[in-house]
Each structure stands twice: as C-alpha cells, then as structure tokens.
Amino acid sequence: MKKLLNFLLLIVLFVSCGKEKEAEKGSAATSTPNKLIYTQSSESVTLHPHEATDVYSRRIISNIFDRLIETDESLNIVPGLAESWEQISPTELKFNLRKGVKFQNGEELTSEDVKYTLENAKKSAKVGTLYSAIESVETPDKYTAIVKTNGPSGSLIHHLTHITASILNKKYYENTKDTNHSPMGTGAYSLVEWKPGSYMTLKRNDDYFRGKPAIEIIEVRPIPEENSRVIAVETGEHHITGDIDSIGRKILGDREDVRVEEISSLGVGYLGINVSKGALQDKRVRQAIAMGINRDLMIEAVLAGAVEKANSILGPGVVGYSKETKPFDYNPEEAKKLLAESGHQNLELVLATSNNELRKQMAEIIQAQLKEIGINVKIEILEWAAFLNATATGKCDLFMLGWSNSSGDADYGMGSMLHSSMMGSSGNRSFFNNPEFDALLDAGKVELDPVKRAAFYAEAQDIMNEEVPILPIYFMPASAGIRKEVKGFVQSPINNPTFYKLSF
C-alpha cells in the first residue's frame, strides 16, 4: 500500500509540476531560427561506430554516418551508400556504391573506405562478433566493394544495416587521434561541439547525398528526469523528447500542440545477473531471484500496464524470436525453497542502475520483493558512463538495463548479449559462459535456412531462461513526444531519430 501511495503521489507531483511550469512560461517559447532541440534520457558515450554499444550513442551516430544498406521504418533493407547489391555466390556480396557521395570534409567516398571500415569493424573488441564472417573486402574499382565471407552467413546482411557498419573516412581515421569525440562520416549532420553533461551541437551537411536537410542546427541534450523533458516539450522550450514512459505519454498525449508517436520496438527491459559473482554462480539462486520478482506488478505499478511482459531478450519483431520460450513465473514460496536448498539464505546483493527514473523505480520494487524471500538488496545509482563501466568490469551483482536490437536479427540480440566471447564491455555484462548455448548461437549465425535458424535460436532462448543470466521484464515501446510545429518525424522500431527528414 505504501508503494502504491508513493506512486500516486509521484503522478500528482509530475502533473502539477508540468502545470506550474506551463503557467510560468505560457505558450511555446521562441526558438532560435532553424534550430531543433532533441532530448534523451542519457548522454552519448562515444561517436565512434566501432565503440558504440548503447542506444544514446547510436542515435547520434546514425545521423553523422551512413551505411552501405539501411533499414526503413518497417525494417525492410533498403539502399544506403550502395545503390544496389547482390549475392554473387554463397560467400560473396557485391556492393555498387553511389558516385559522388562526399564525406563531411569534402572527400569522396570510395570502395577503399568500405574496405577500411569493415576490416576494422571485424577487429573491434566491442562489435567485431557482428563481422566475424568477413574474410576480406575486395575493391576491383573505385565504386565496387566485394565482401567475401569465410562461409555462408545468414546474419551478415542484417548486421551491415547496423550503425556499427557506418562507413568511415579511411584517410581521416588513419590520421586522427580522438575519433571517439570527433567523427567523420557522410551523414546529414556533422558534430560542431560536444560539451559533456550539457549538450551536443550538430550542423547540417549542405552536400548530403540525399539532399540538403531543412533544419540547420540540431542540439541534443541529455536530461535523465522525464518530467523535466516532458515539461520542456509542453512549453516549447524543446522540440522533441525520446524515452518517454506511461505518465509522460499521458501528459503529452492530452495536449493539442504536441503529438506522441509510439511503436513496438525491438528492445527489452531486463534485470541482469552477474553469474560469475559469489552465490550468483549457483543457478538455483538465480532461479530464486527470477521467482521472487513479480513482473506483472512491476509493469502495472511503474508503467501503468501499458507494455507487454517480455519472455525473451529478443523482441517479437526480431528474426529468431521465440514466442514459446518462458522465464520463471513469480513464485516466492518456491524461491525460498531454492535458496534454502542452495544454502545461500540472507544474501546481500548490490543492484546497480543508471540515473533513469523508470529503472530506479523498478529497482526499488525489486529490492522490496527480493527482501520478502530473504535477499537484501542495496541499490546503487550511477551516471550512465560510470554505470556502463561498472557493469562491463563485473563490479555489480545485479543491474537494470535495456537492450535494443538495432539489426533486427537474433545473432546480434543474443550473441552480443550472452555469448561467452562477448564478456564485459562487448555486451555480455552477465559474464555468462555456457558451451551448449554458444554452440547454438554459432550454428544460427551461419545457417541460411530460416526454419533451421529459428530452431537454433528457440533452443538458445530456452537455455537462457533456464540458466537466468538475465530476467526479461518488458518489451520496450519506442516513443517520443514531438511539438506540432515539427514535421517529418516517424518513430521507428529501432528507435533512432532521423534528423534529415525533419522540418518546421
């Protein structure tokens, strides 16, 4: 009851704060001419495509760079920097590049940039697994790149649409030191200034190959507090905010001068469990944690029942998702029995989360529920970059995170997250190591038959739910609040804003 009262009080404060702020500022604030302000709940970590594993970095990278091929809002694969492509043999993909495409420094895109990019992507500790099938890239002429693989690959075509396959300027990246903070792509916008913790300024590329963007300046601001972002869109101080949850959607959805766009994403909100630490090495303890958490109650309390409970780390739109796989259901009595059987009663665990309001609330509910089965949880709230570092280095017992599968394929969704070769900052923050699981992912990666691929990934999802390196909680919606004066915004399942399509 106390939790429910606190939650209702939060709603009242949220709504009243919005009304007070609106009363102070009145109607929409005057904007700087041809400048759009976009906010998200956390800051980008890096702008180097081969270093980016988080959605907040990915969103900006997707606007500074382009890929050979892309996915549209319906997840169809469409031309990008390659005007066409063909599978000329089971192990060869030929890409015909657009002619006259310029990087933001004025240099022309060539096949040598493609070769440099993909060969370096394969070497990346963080994203190399996506490109491990690539054996070599041949450049028979300036505008042709032939990607040769070490065998058939059912996943590579999907991975080449991912932001980590963004094409780099070879000459620039070979001669520039801090490319994490000074990117160079062919995209619609280039980075002008990045003031960490405050804002990032992007300026349009007047020579963009798809046409000059309508909006000259995009300012991106990281604002963890959802109510602050919602209020700023209400008053017109900001133009678009991503990452809005049920309360924010209700507030903005009731306004005539703002519209809310929401779609099912490919993302999943989950509880991560570091299987390499202490009592958590015991599968029974992990299963008890899963049985001690009432995911239905959490979704109802924090998200007002507006999302679907997840059964996998893969979203329903991902190639390879299994609707039949099932995590452990809420069963506190059985959880207590498992803990007693394991000999790990009265556990003390640390649950880390970033300064995301939604995840903080979920962490508090998990803390209360696990206490009921005899597990004492201490919550640590960390700034986003510090949180990623803590989970990557294995310092946390438990952690709250979301995973957005931006390639749309199970190989990326499961391989990056849980394959033993990806432990740590590469994505496997649970430090999960299961040879049978790995073998299934390895088989799915190279299988071309979609039915056989699906069977491999279905079995892998069953192992995941049995071993509990993570507990899927809910399928994340992709949502944004947009001022009515902004035209051209389309919410995609991948949850990346496409700035060049926007106008006032």
Side-chain angles (χ1 to χ4, degrees), residues 103-355:
F103 286 98
Q104 291 140 1
N105 60 3
E107 295 180 3
E108 186 182 14
L109 166 78
T110 73
S111 56
E112 287 298 324
D113 298 301
V114 175
K115 177 180 175 67
Y116 173 82
T117 296
L118 297 183
E119 289 181 349
N120 278 278
K122 181 179 178 178
K123 297 174 187 175
S124 167
K126 293 188 176 180
V127 304
T129 184
L130 300 182
Y131 310 104
S132 59
I134 295 177
E135 188 171 86
S136 63
V137 179
E138 295 187 354
T139 56
D141 61 55
K142 191 175 179 181
Y143 302 112
T144 305
I146 299 174
V147 179
K148 293 193 169 186
T149 57
N150 48 31
S153 174
S155 58
L156 182 60
I157 194 72
H158 295 281
H159 295 336
L160 290 174
T161 70
H162 193 256
I163 66 103
T164 56
S166 295
I167 302 302
L168 311 177
N169 182 311
K170 176 184 177 182
K171 183 178 178 182
Y172 177 84
Y173 277 82
E174 284 182 333
N175 295 284
T176 305
K177 290 184 178 180
D178 185 18
T179 52
N180 283 9
H181 294 82
S182 55
M184 181 60 62
T186 60
Y189 286 86
S190 60
L191 179 69
V192 175
E193 183 181 15
W194 185 355
K195 188 174 181 180
S198 184
Y199 63 85
M200 183 185 293
T201 303
L202 308 177
K203 186 175 182 180
R204 73 182 170 200
N205 175 5
D206 290 350
D207 296 322
Y208 187 48
F209 76 90
R210 288 188 170 103
K212 179 180 175 179
I215 296 177
E216 181 180 5
I217 300 294
I218 305 289
E219 185 172 287
V220 181
R221 298 184 186 179
I223 302 177
E225 301 79 15
E226 185 190 3
N227 60 333
S228 298
R229 287 184 281 112
V230 167
I231 291 166
V233 171
E234 282 187 290
T235 61
E237 183 181 352
H238 300 162
H239 299 96
I240 303 174
T241 183
D243 310 319
I244 55 173
D245 298 315
S246 53
I247 300 171
R249 292 196 294 272
K250 177 68 171 64
I251 292 171
L252 294 180
D254 288 341
R255 297 184 63 91
E256 293 184 359
D257 55 353
V258 178
R259 72 183 188 278
V260 173
E261 289 206 11
E262 183 175 19
I263 191 171
S264 295
S265 79
L266 305 181
V268 177
Y270 68 93
L271 172 71
I273 302 175
N274 186 343
V275 304
S276 70
K277 294 200 73 175
L280 297 176
Q281 296 176 69
D282 191 324
K283 179 172 72 173
R284 295 168 296 181
V285 174
R286 304 194 299 270
Q287 291 175 341
I289 289 171
M291 292 181 188
I293 296 173
N294 187 334
R295 294 178 296 146
D296 292 302
L297 186 149
M298 189 183 305
I299 289 169
E300 188 62 38
V302 179
L303 293 160
V307 299
E308 183 183 352
K309 183 167 65 174
N311 68 324
S312 172
I313 195 59
L314 304 179
V318 175
V319 174
Y321 163 74
S322 170
K323 66 179 181 180
E324 305 301 329
T325 192
K326 293 182 180 179
F328 287 99
D329 289 326
Y330 178 57
N331 189 336
E333 294 308 313
E334 184 62 27
K336 291 175 185 176
K337 290 179 184 177
L338 279 174
L339 287 175
E341 181 184 313
S342 71
H344 295 293
Q345 294 169 290
N346 299 313
L347 278 175
E348 302 279 344
L349 299 176
V350 175
L351 168 56
T353 182
S354 64
N355 53 0

Side-chain angles (χ1 to χ4, degrees), residues 20 37 45 84 101 184 219 248 290 314 336 361 402 470 475 477:
E20 286 173 14
I37 299 177
V45 176
S84 64
V101 174
M184 181 60 62
E219 185 172 287
L314 304 179
K336 291 175 185 176
Q361 292 174 42
I470 67 158
F475 293 125

